[in-house]
Amino acid sequence: MITAELQKGWAKSLLEAAGSAPAPWLEELRSSAGALIDGLPLVNRKQEAWRYTNVEPLLKESFQPVVERPSGYPGEVPEAITPHRLVFVDGWFMPELSDTALLPEEVTCGSLNDAIAAGDERVKNRLGSVADPGEHLFTALNTALVNDGLFLHLPAGVKLESPVELFWLNSGGETPLLAQPRNLVILEPGAEAVLVEHHLPGEGERYLHNGLTEIVLDPGAKLDHYRVQDESEQAWHFSRIVLDQGSDSRYHGITLAFGGHLARTEYNGLFTAEGAHCTLRGLYTVGDDQLQDFHLDVRHDVPHCSSREQFKGLLYGKGRAVFDGRILVAKDAQKSDAELTNDNLLLTRNAEVDTKPQLEIYADDVKASHGTTVGQLEANQVFYLRARGIDEQKAVHMLCEGFAAEIIEHIHLETLREQALARLRQTLGNL
Amino acid sequence: MLTIKNLHVNVDGKEILRGLDLEIGTGEVHAIMGPNGSGKSTLSYVLAGRDGYEVTEGEVIFAGKNLLEMEPEERAWAGIFLAMQYPVELPGVNNMSFLRESVNAVRRARGEEELDAIAFMKLVRERAELVKLPEKLLKRSVNAGFSGGEKKRNEILQMALLEPKLTILDEIDSGLDIDALRTVAEGVNALRSPERSFLMITHYQRLLDYIEPDHIHVLAHGRIVRSGGKELALELEEKGYGWILEEEAAA
C-alpha cells in the first residue's frame, strides 16, 4: 500500500540529494515545487490517473539523483540519422559526445543548465510556465530537481532542414540512478523543426527516467516530434510532454514505446489561440513484466482547433497496458474538431489492457468522435496467409506488423521508419 | 491428381459432407454445382485445411500424399490453391510485400531460389496485367477497400504467381459483373495446361460459359449425386436442381 509516509519519505530522500541550482531564480522554482510534494495526493489506486498503474515497488526503491554532469560515458553512442546529434547521459547534456556545429547560428540548441548558468532570459521567462509542477508526484519531483536537459530555441521564421536528434543514455553502476531531464522547446512564429528522441538503456539496467518537456509553439510554428522509448526491461520511465500551442501552429507527435518495466507517457496539449492543430500518435508493445501507460489530456479552450489521437497496442505474454485519453472541449470552443482512437491487439490470454477514452464536450457546435477496440488476431486472416504458403509464425508477424504499420507509416523520416520496423520485428521475433 | 474417398465432415457437430467421392485427373477441369447449403464451401475449405472442419471418415489423397495430415501452408507448398469466395482483408499488410512473401515461401519449400525485389517486380507486373489488376492496388493493403471484382482479380493474380497444380475456385463468380467475370475467366484460362487441374465450385451455370469444364458434378446433401459432361450444366440451367434432388429422394 502506498502510504503518505512512503510517498513523502521517498521524495524527501531524493530532494536531500538535489545539489545546488545554477541560478537563484531556479532555486526558487525548485523549492516551490518541492514544497508542493507534501500536499499532493498519493499516487495510488484511489486516484483515477493511477488506478491501473502500480508504482508502489518504485517507491520502495532508492535512487541516486545525478546532480552533476557525468565526467564521461563508458559505452558507445549509437549512430545518428542526422547531422544534429545531442547526447544526454543520466539526463545531462554531453557536449563532447554531441554535434550541433551545423545548426544555423541563430538557433540555440544544447544544455538547459548551461543556458541558465549563462543567464539566458528566455529560459527564465518560460521554464515552468507551461507545465504545472503540481500535476502529480513525478512532475513536482522533476521541477524540484531541475538540473539539465535540452533547451531548443528557434527564432521567428527559422526552418531547420534536418532533424535534431537526441539520445538519452544511462551510465549504470551499482546504485540505481535517477535521470531527471527537463526540456524546454520554443519555436517562435513560423519556425519549423523536427525533433527525434531515442530513450535507450545505454550502460544502465535498473534506473528511473523522469522527464518533463515543455513545448511552446508560437503562431504558425510547426514541430514534428518523434520519440522512441526503448528503455531497459528493468527500467522505470516517466515522460510528460506539455504543449502550449499558439494560433495556426501544428504539432505532430509520435511515441513508439517498446521498452521499460513500467513506462508512462503523458501528453498534455493546450490550444491558446484559434486555428491550431495537434496530432498525437503512439504504438506500444508489452510482454511479460511490462506495463505501458499512456495518459493524454488535450484541451480545446478556444474555437477552431483540431486534434487527432491515434494509439495502438500490441500485447503478448502477461503484458499490461493502460490507455487514458481525454479530450476536453470548453464551452466557447465552437467548431472544434477532435478524434480519438485506441486499438489493442491481445496475442495471449494473459495480456491485459485497461482503456478509457473520454470526451468532455461543453460546446454545442463541434465535431468529435472516439473509438476503442480490444481484440485478437482473426483466425480467417491467419488462415488466408497460411493458405498462401506463409507459415503460421510468419503470418502472425505480418498481421502484427500490419496492425502497427498504421502508426509507423506516419513517421516521415525514412531511416527512422525503417529503424522502428526493425525494432518491432525484434519484439515480434521474441513472441 | 486428387482422389477423395467417402469423405465425411462435421462442422459444429453437424454432418455437412456425407460420403463424398471425387477423382480429378491431371489437367482436368471439374465443376461442382449444387444448391445453397449442399456443402460446396465446406469441401473447398476442407481441401485448403481451414480449422473448424472435422473429418470423421474418409480420405483425401493429393499427388500421392495424405492431404488431411498437412498444414494449410504445406498444402500450398504442395500445389493446392484456394481462390476464396470472400477474400480476407488485411489492413496494414502491403499487397506487394504479401505477394512476394507468398511466392518466395512457396519457392523455398519447393527448393527453388527466392526471387529478389527486381525479378519479383517484373513477374508481378506481367501477371497483374494478365488479370487486369491496376498496379496501384499492388501498393495498397491486401484487399482492404477493394471492390468485389478487384478482390477476385487479386485472388487470380495470386494463383497466376503461385502456379498451383490444383486450383479450387470457390464461387469465384459471385458478385462479379460480366466484364469482371470475363477478365477473371481469361486469367484462369491462360493458366490451363495439361499439368494443371481445376475444381470450380459454383451455384450458377454462367461461369461455365467462360471456363469450360471437362466434368460436372452435382453436390447435394453432402454427396455427389450426379456426374456428367457439359450437357449436364445445360440440363441444370433448364430444369434447376429440383429434378435431381427428387430422383435422389426416390432412389
Side-chain angles (χ1 to χ4, degrees):
Chain A
M1 201 175 79
I2 296 175
T3 59
E5 197 188 353
L6 177 65
Q7 177 166 325
K8 284 187 212 169
W10 183 77
K12 195 170 165 228
S13 69
L14 293 168
L15 294 185
E16 278 167 359
S20 63
W25 68 264
L26 189 68
E27 193 64 62
E28 269 176 49
L29 184 74
R30 279 185 179 188
S31 53
S32 62
L36 292 173
I37 287 176
D38 280 358
L40 287 174
L42 302 178
V43 284
N44 65 12
R45 290 181 56 87
K46 287 184 190 156
Q47 267 201 79
E48 194 55 36
W50 297 92
R51 191 157 166 203
Y52 303 104
T53 306
N54 180 16
V55 293
E56 187 180 345
L58 169 68
L59 301 189
K60 289 184 168 162
E61 192 85 24
S62 31
F63 296 95
Q64 177 70 45
V66 181
V67 297
E68 277 179 357
R69 178 165 291 147
S71 55
Y73 176 65
E76 283 208 19
V77 177
E79 226 172 282
I81 59 173
T82 86
H84 316 311
R85 177 182 74 176
L86 286 84
V87 175
F88 295 82
V89 173
D90 304 326
W92 287 81
F93 177 62
M94 305 292 280
E96 66 280 10
L97 300 175
S98 305
D99 191 351
T100 56
L102 292 175
L103 282 167
E105 228 172 82
E106 63 271 31
V107 171
T108 311
C109 181
S111 159
L112 182 87
N113 190 290
D114 290 355
I116 294 169
D120 197 311
E121 287 290 317
R122 297 168 301 185
V123 180
K124 187 180 172 186
N125 292 338
R126 293 317 297 255
L127 195 76
S129 72
V130 181
D132 172 12
E135 180 67 28
H136 53 62
L137 174 66
F138 298 97
T139 49
L141 188 67
N142 178 286
T143 309
L145 289 166
V146 175
N147 261 319
D148 202 8
L150 168 76
F151 175 48
L152 173 64
H153 179 275
L154 267 67
V158 173
K159 296 175 183 172
L160 289 186
E161 279 177 27
S162 306
V164 172
E165 197 172 9
L166 314 181
F167 291 91
W168 300 98
L169 307 172
N170 299 276
S171 58
E174 290 289 301
T175 321
L177 298 178
L178 166 62
Q180 271 266 123
R182 178 66 171 238
N183 309 309
L184 177 62
V185 176
I186 301 172
L187 268 56
E188 286 194 351
E192 292 181 15
V194 177
L195 192 59
V196 179
E197 294 186 63
H198 303 270
H199 291 274
L200 299 165
E203 300 294 297
E205 278 181 19
R206 208 171 163 76
Y207 54 88
L208 166 60
H209 177 103
N210 179 31
L212 181 51
T213 301
E214 295 179 277
I215 297 176
V216 180
L217 299 182
D218 283 343
K222 290 181 181 168
L223 181 67
D224 282 358
H225 188 187
Y226 302 111
R227 308 175 63 255
V228 184
Q229 186 274 98
D230 198 6
E231 303 279 20
S232 128
E233 56 190 29
Q234 291 182 47
W236 291 271
H237 174 104
F238 292 84
S239 275
R240 183 172 174 85
I241 297 112
V242 188
L243 306 165
D244 179 322
Q245 288 194 247
S247 61
D248 300 312
S249 63
R250 199 209 64 184
Y251 177 83
H252 175 210
I254 298 186
T255 291
L256 307 176
F258 298 111
H261 164 63
L262 184 157
R264 176 165 168 129
T265 307
E266 301 176 357
Y267 279 105
N268 182 191
L270 178 67
F271 298 121
T272 56
E274 297 187 11
H277 175 78
C278 169
T279 299
L280 306 176
R281 287 196 171 88
L283 170 71
Y284 46 94
T285 64
V286 273
D288 288 346
D289 294 317
Q290 266 196 306
L291 181 142
Q292 299 283 4
D293 176 351
F294 278 85
H295 270 70
L296 319 178
D297 186 5
V298 176
R299 303 177 65 100
H300 289 254
D301 274 4
V302 293
H304 293 285
C305 289
S306 55
S307 66
R308 293 285 175 276
E309 287 85 25
Q310 183 190 17
F311 286 76
K312 301 189 91 170
L314 211 51
L315 298 89
Y316 57 96
K318 291 180 187 161
R320 286 199 51 218
V322 179
F323 179 85
D324 188 328
R326 175 170 179 254
I327 299 176
L328 186 143
V329 180
K331 190 164 170 282
D332 297 328
Q334 301 296 4
K335 304 284 181 195
S336 290
D337 180 353
E339 201 180 293
L340 171 90
T341 59
N342 174 232
D343 299 308
N344 297 280
L345 192 53
L346 272 57
L347 297 173
T348 52
R349 198 175 276 273
N350 290 322
E352 182 188 324
V353 60
D354 294 283
T355 173
K356 191 172 67 172
Q358 311 174 63
L359 290 183
E360 272 182 52
I361 299 171
Y362 299 100
D364 52 18
D365 184 12
V366 299
K367 219 166 96 183
S369 67
H370 69 79
T372 297
T373 63
V374 178
Q376 297 161 353
L377 279 180
E378 285 185 35
N380 61 352
Q381 293 184 333
V382 178
F383 170 69
Y384 188 76
L385 291 168
R386 295 180 73 191
R388 298 302 180 247
I390 296 163
D391 67 60
E392 187 171 11
Q393 189 187 24
K394 180 73 190 172
V396 168
H397 290 186
M398 284 173 74
L399 292 170
C400 290
E401 254 182 66
F403 176 81
E406 292 179 329
I407 299 297
I408 292 177
E409 72 188 12
H410 292 283
I411 299 174
H412 296 143
L413 304 171
E414 197 185 342
T415 314
L416 187 63
R417 201 165 53 233
E418 280 164 11
Q419 282 179 3
L421 203 55
R423 180 60 187 83
L424 175 69
R425 285 183 181 150
Q426 188 192 325
T427 293
L428 293 175
N430 294 332
L431 289 184
Chain B
M1 174 165 293
L2 182 78
T3 307
I4 303 176
K5 276 188 198 155
N6 189 32
L7 187 64
H8 290 254
V9 176
N10 284 6
V11 180
D12 294 329
K14 194 179 159 208
E15 190 167 50
I16 305 293
L17 296 184
R18 307 167 185 193
L20 186 140
D21 295 297
L22 183 68
E23 175 88 39
I24 298 178
T26 304
E28 293 176 356
V29 177
H30 289 239
I32 289 190
M33 305 185 68
N36 286 329
S38 56
K40 298 194 300 292
S41 283
T42 298
L43 175 61
S44 65
Y45 282 132
V46 167
L47 294 179
R50 187 172 167 168
D51 279 346
Y53 297 85
E54 189 201 348
V55 176
T56 55
E57 217 183 317
E59 62 173 11
V60 180
I61 305 296
F62 175 71
K65 286 187 207 144
N66 181 353
L67 190 70
L68 299 176
E69 280 180 357
M70 295 158 81
E71 297 292 337
E73 57 269 35
E74 292 172 327
R75 300 180 195 208
W77 302 340
I80 294 232
F81 182 89
L82 168 63
M84 296 190 197
Q85 183 180 4
Y86 302 110
V88 179
E89 298 194 6
L90 306 177
V93 180
N94 177 268
N95 202 16
M96 185 78 95
S97 310
F98 155 67
L99 294 171
R100 190 171 161 211
E101 197 62 52
S102 164
V103 167
N104 279 335
V106 170
R107 290 182 71 95
R108 266 199 307 276
R110 293 177 186 167
E112 295 165 3
E113 221 171 291
E114 293 186 31
L115 296 180
D116 63 28
I118 296 164
F120 179 75
M121 194 77 95
K122 192 169 169 279
L123 179 70
V124 81
R125 285 213 173 111
E126 179 196 306
R127 302 286 154 93
E129 184 149 341
L130 181 76
V131 298
K132 298 195 173 70
L133 185 85
E135 207 172 309
K136 64 173 199 288
L137 295 184
L138 296 172
K139 292 175 188 155
R140 299 241 306 259
S141 294
V142 181
N143 297 328
F146 286 25
S147 71
E150 287 166 346
K151 283 181 183 169
K152 295 293 168 77
R153 277 176 224 195
N154 205 32
E155 292 291 286
I156 301 305
L157 170 62
Q158 292 166 45
M159 177 192 76
L161 287 167
L162 296 177
E163 303 183 345
K165 290 192 183 116
L166 172 67
T167 299
I168 305 151
L169 302 161
D170 186 5
E171 309 235 358
I172 195 75
D173 49 336
S174 71
L176 292 190
D177 62 32
I178 286 292
D179 283 345
L181 179 59
R182 195 173 286 139
T183 311
V184 164
E186 276 167 13
V188 173
N189 287 328
L191 233 74
R192 278 180 84 154
S193 83
E195 292 84 43
R196 280 189 237 290
S197 311
F198 291 85
L199 175 60
M200 286 187 275
I201 292 174
T202 182
H203 190 72
Y204 301 104
Q205 138 79 23
R206 186 177 75 150
L207 178 66
L208 310 186
D209 294 340
Y210 295 93
I211 308 172
E212 262 192 47
D214 304 308
H215 302 276
I216 294 176
H217 313 275
V218 177
L219 181 65
H221 308 305
R223 292 193 299 124
I224 303 280
V225 294
R226 172 90 39 131
S227 295
K230 276 166 251 174
E231 68 289 347
L232 181 56
L234 297 173
E235 217 173 334
L236 287 170
E237 168 95 328
E238 214 174 291
K239 303 198 224 163
Y241 292 107
W243 63 280
I244 292 182
L245 300 180
E246 278 162 28
E247 277 186 30
E248 180 66 13

